[in-house]
Amino acid sequence: MPPASARPRPTLVDVASAAGVSKSLVSLALRGDAGVSERTRERILVVAERVGYRPSLTARTLKQGRSMMLGAVISSLDNPYHTEIVASVEAAAEDSGLSVLLAHGSRDRGRLADRVQQLLDLGADGLVVVSSWVPEEVLVAAARRAPVVMVGRTAEPVSGIDSVNNDDEHGAALVVEHLVARGHRRIAHVTSSTRPAGIARRRGYEAAMRAAGLDDEVRVVAPDPVALGALLDDGTSAVFARNDVEAVDVLDHALDAGLRVPDELAVVGYDDTVLARRARPALTTVQQQRDVMGSRAVALLRERLDGRAEDVHEVLEPRLVVRSSS
Amino acid sequence: MPPASARPRPTLVDVASAAGVSKSLVSLALRGDAGVSERTRERILVVAERVGYRPSLTARTLKQGRSMMLGAVISSLDNPYHTEIVASVEAAAEDSGLSVLLAHGSRDRGRLADRVQQLLDLGADGLVVVSSWVPEEVLVAAARRAPVVMVGRTAEPVSGIDSVNNDDEHGAALVVEHLVARGHRRIAHVTSSTRPAGIARRRGYEAAMRAAGLDDEVRVVAPDPVALGALLDDGTSAVFARNDVEAVDVLDHALDAGLRVPDELAVVGYDDTVLARRARPALTTVQQQRDVMGSRAVALLRERLDGRAEDVHEVLEPRLVVRSSS
DNA sequence: TCGAACATCTGGAACGTTCCAGATCGATGC
DNA sequence: GCATCGATCTGGAACGTTCCAGATGTTCGA
């Protein structure tokens, strides 16, 4: 049953007996405790190295009741927006001496819920959720076990969950204002999303259109070929898509239809992912300060671990990034 | 120090005393052991549910010496090729009742080595490595603690590490043969890679060119603007890029330069990622059976856990996927 | 010279499981 | 009526750490 190669891994006791001291002393020495003489410490370090000792995080976590490890739950590995947030969370965690373990669960709510439980059962000290698909009640329950922060999604008022988000409504308004300033009036919004962020962006679009006196021009369409085809035929001069992925679709569609971008059609996205930079022409889009999101998320978790009880919801101001597609 | 909300989580003992039985019985009941009477089992399940009991994976792992958990190490979250492999590993692991924890470490060798150690220290039963940046000696050492399989990269002969890879040389040859059959002679290879897969693809390209009697046409250039510009000026009629990411760059460059693809320039990639499907025109590329890679990787780990001692290196045959860019 | 203070080290309990060896008890076979 | 058996349950050791309470030995001041 055990692998053929399985020499049982050395423990503190092995190091201790090899060095002729007690296991407690080995533990102290390896953790750099002050009350260990320099000579002994060095001898112990050498022996530990020689026998290939590595501490068991499992045992340590069990004893200490904390793991120095954060869990990150992510639903999509193929949306750069999510993965870039995770990367920024990792960077921030590392600065705090914490490490991050990722659990991935597609858009399957049940599976995502399992992954949340798994991270908690493993002893994660906190959870960063980068997914709008994890059911909120699962997170509320999770928050009773360890601090939870949602990134890119705002939690319900008194759920026990913190959140870091950008102001999607305002971001959408920035886009509309930009297009209006460029002289556009027929500005359509392309979205397929029923997720909170998508809804907020749509609301922001509609409000900004009304504010610009363009109530009659409000037009929301799905990103499917038929709807897009109709859109391009009816004199629409600018399209604001709910995210970069869908903006790129619109772009491709317009170029295939022989339209010149941005002269005949302006296209704007949201998220400022690598897709926007890579697109031809490069996409105008909305930037969400993802690096700040990561570090704020980690900061919020640490505050909770230090005892904060009230929920905190941070909202970051988005910035318009103008490129050549508008 | 402990969070204000911290009610210590219930343990087996709590459930046991609430149900008026021993902790051993609770353990047996929750794990579905046969020797527990139906009546008691049910009572225990109810009580466990009521007090919100969840087993500690940490304690279980410590006691059992195995975690039912695989670790996956990945260096880049933004290359769809890697993330799609991870997704296929996850699917395969789930079928075996194992879960997968991801550790991400960019292209920082030191950090990746740390992540490998962390997964092992946490008790991962096996490691899937989807990164060419983890130093091989780190993996060789890791393989003494738990089975390790590399995906998309072939291990050294007797390292104790298994691998699942595709035949990059053959894949590159397929591309060249396809282009030759289409009448191309000036076929250049675009690559920037010093990684094993990149090198093998280049070797395959060169060999296939020679086999087609095109020794004089062998041309390898870096994917930078200057080199690409020169390439497009000198009558090159087809470009084979080392992966889809770079193929898309070539595509953009060619289109920007006013070339028609595929009429004036054929472009072919490698990996068959979502990028290839999305590109305009859609990219001809090489498919690597990523789903098979994931399930073979998990299968190899399981065999090791069951005692296999010899290294196994699986090589899958790649398939050409012809789309409209060639 | 003696106790105190300090530096250094040790033993054992505890963390929450699993699992082995055995306890308990009613039913069964003879 | 007695040993045996099976079904059901229990106690305690063990996994590899950490950490507390204390042991040991050395040095110092008076």
Side-chain angles (χ1 to χ4, degrees):
Chain A
M1 192 75 58
S5 66
R7 208 179 349 155
R9 67 139 106 182
T11 75
L12 274 185
V13 177
D14 299 320
V15 178
S17 68
V21 295
S22 73
K23 64 177 179 3
S24 309
L25 189 56
V26 176
S27 174
L28 293 173
L30 292 178
R31 281 177 296 144
D33 187 281
V36 179
S37 77
E38 200 46 50
R39 252 171 44 84
T40 346
R41 177 200 313 292
E42 230 150 70
R43 190 159 46 92
I44 291 177
L45 289 184
V46 169
V47 173
E49 173 74 33
R50 180 160 53 76
V51 305
Y53 171 77
R54 296 238 87 217
S56 156
L57 292 187
T58 309
R60 178 177 301 179
T61 299
L62 180 60
K63 184 69 206 348
Q64 303 209 125
R66 75 200 142 79
S67 60
M68 291 304 207
M69 182 185 96
L70 301 180
V73 185
I74 182 171
S75 52
S76 111
L77 284 175
D78 53 351
N79 185 333
Y81 170 63
H82 294 302
T83 55
E84 288 174 23
I85 287 180
V86 167
S88 93
V89 168
E90 281 176 337
E94 185 163 24
D95 292 344
S96 298
L98 301 166
S99 56
V100 176
L101 237 33
L102 249 55
H104 165 237
S106 303
R107 292 181 178 176
D108 176 333
R109 290 167 201 274
R111 199 213 295 256
L112 284 165
D114 287 347
R115 310 299 270 141
V116 166
Q117 294 295 1
Q118 186 194 12
L119 286 171
L120 291 175
D121 295 347
L122 257 181
D125 290 339
L127 244 44
V128 180
V129 178
V130 191
S131 162
S132 64
W133 295 90
V134 189
E136 178 132 354
E137 68 270 19
V138 169
L139 295 179
V140 170
R144 283 196 287 268
R145 296 224 266 148
V148 174
V149 54
M150 301 205 305
V151 180
R153 169 182 174 195
T154 301
E156 295 297 314
V158 284
S159 47
I161 303 172
D162 296 331
S163 65
V164 179
N165 203 351
N166 92 115
D167 185 343
D168 286 302
E169 288 200 42
H170 185 204
L174 290 177
V175 171
V176 172
E177 288 159 15
H178 160 72
L179 291 171
V180 169
R182 286 276 209 267
H184 293 281
R185 293 182 53 83
R186 307 213 65 158
I187 303 169
H189 182 46
V190 166
T191 184
S192 63
S193 180
T194 57
R195 319 271 75 226
I199 292 170
R201 288 170 199 178
R202 173 178 179 160
R203 211 164 40 226
Y205 156 79
E206 291 170 347
M209 288 294 279
R210 281 195 298 276
L214 298 175
D215 306 52
D216 298 343
E217 303 288 358
V218 168
R219 197 104 188 267
V220 177
V221 308
D224 63 76
V226 178
L228 289 182
L231 193 65
L232 302 184
D233 283 345
D234 79 347
T236 295
S237 74
V239 171
F240 163 40
R242 85 153 220 270
N243 68 15
D244 288 346
V245 176
E246 291 182 2
V248 168
D249 281 348
V250 172
L251 207 54
D252 288 339
H253 212 86
L255 296 173
D256 286 353
L259 291 178
R260 279 174 299 121
V261 176
D263 302 337
E264 296 174 296
L265 185 78
V267 179
V268 179
Y270 206 112
D271 289 346
D272 192 25
T273 60
V274 61
L275 294 177
R277 268 162 276 150
R278 274 234 184 99
R280 293 310 164 103
L283 268 183
T284 293
T285 187
V286 179
Q287 217 263 14
Q288 311 196 36
Q289 309 188 56
R290 270 186 298 278
D291 45 342
V292 178
M293 291 180 127
S295 59
R296 290 310 303 153
V298 172
L300 289 179
L301 289 180
R302 300 192 44 168
E303 290 171 23
R304 283 278 194 187
L305 289 170
D306 286 345
R308 167 163 61 70
E310 331 77 60
D311 296 1
V312 170
H313 302 290
E314 300 210 349
V315 177
L316 303 176
E317 278 311 312
R319 267 192 22 228
L320 187 75
V321 178
V322 180
R323 297 210 178 86
S324 33
S325 70
S326 69
Chain B
M1 193 72 63
S5 65
R7 206 179 353 153
R9 66 139 106 180
T11 75
L12 274 185
V13 178
D14 299 320
V15 177
S17 67
V21 295
S22 75
K23 64 178 180 2
S24 308
L25 190 56
V26 177
S27 175
L28 293 173
L30 292 178
R31 280 176 297 143
D33 188 282
V36 180
S37 77
E38 202 44 51
R39 251 172 44 83
T40 347
R41 178 201 313 291
E42 230 149 71
R43 190 160 45 92
I44 291 177
L45 289 185
V46 169
V47 173
E49 174 74 34
R50 179 160 52 76
V51 305
Y53 171 77
R54 296 237 86 218
S56 156
L57 292 187
T58 309
R60 180 181 308 198
T61 299
L62 180 61
K63 183 70 196 16
Q64 304 209 124
R66 75 201 142 79
S67 60
M68 290 303 206
M69 181 188 96
L70 300 180
V73 184
I74 183 171
S75 52
S76 112
L77 284 175
D78 54 349
N79 185 335
Y81 169 62
H82 294 302
T83 55
E84 290 175 22
I85 288 180
V86 167
S88 92
V89 168
E90 281 176 336
E94 186 164 21
D95 292 342
S96 298
L98 301 166
S99 57
V100 175
L101 236 33
L102 246 54
H104 165 235
S106 303
R107 293 182 177 176
D108 177 332
R109 290 166 201 274
R111 198 212 296 254
L112 285 165
D114 288 347
R115 310 301 267 135
V116 167
Q117 294 294 0
Q118 187 195 10
L119 287 170
L120 291 175
D121 295 347
L122 257 180
D125 290 339
L127 245 45
V128 181
V129 178
V130 191
S131 161
S132 64
W133 295 89
V134 188
E136 176 132 356
E137 67 268 20
V138 169
L139 295 179
V140 170
R144 282 196 288 266
R145 295 224 265 148
V148 174
V149 54
M150 302 203 306
V151 179
R153 170 181 174 198
T154 301
E156 294 296 314
V158 285
S159 47
I161 302 171
D162 296 332
S163 64
V164 179
N165 204 352
N166 92 113
D167 186 341
D168 287 301
E169 288 201 42
H170 184 205
L174 290 177
V175 171
V176 172
E177 289 159 13
H178 160 73
L179 291 171
V180 168
R182 285 277 208 267
H184 293 281
R185 294 183 50 84
R186 307 213 66 156
I187 303 169
H189 182 47
V190 167
T191 185
S192 63
S193 178
T194 57
R195 319 271 75 226
I199 292 171
R201 288 170 198 178
R202 173 179 179 160
R203 211 165 39 225
Y205 157 79
E206 290 171 347
M209 288 294 278
R210 279 195 299 274
L214 297 174
D215 306 51
D216 297 345
E217 303 289 356
V218 168
R219 201 106 184 263
V220 177
V221 309
D224 62 77
V226 178
L228 290 181
L231 194 63
L232 303 184
D233 284 346
D234 78 347
T236 296
S237 74
V239 171
F240 163 40
R242 84 153 222 269
N243 66 17
D244 288 345
V245 176
E246 291 182 2
V248 169
D249 281 348
V250 172
L251 206 55
D252 288 339
H253 212 86
L255 297 173
D256 287 353
L259 291 178
R260 281 175 296 122
V261 175
D263 303 337
E264 296 175 296
L265 185 77
V267 180
V268 179
Y270 206 111
D271 290 345
D272 192 25
T273 59
V274 60
L275 294 177
R277 267 161 277 150
R278 273 232 184 100
R280 293 309 163 102
L283 266 184
T284 293
T285 186
V286 178
Q287 218 264 12
Q288 309 196 37
Q289 308 189 55
R290 270 185 299 278
D291 46 341
V292 177
M293 290 180 128
S295 58
R296 289 311 302 153
V298 172
L300 289 179
L301 288 181
R302 300 192 44 167
E303 291 171 22
R304 284 279 195 186
L305 288 169
D306 286 344
R308 168 162 60 71
E310 332 75 60
D311 297 1
V312 169
H313 302 289
E314 298 209 350
V315 177
L316 304 175
E317 278 311 311
R319 267 193 22 227
L320 187 73
V321 178
V322 179
R323 297 209 179 85
S324 34
S325 70
S326 69

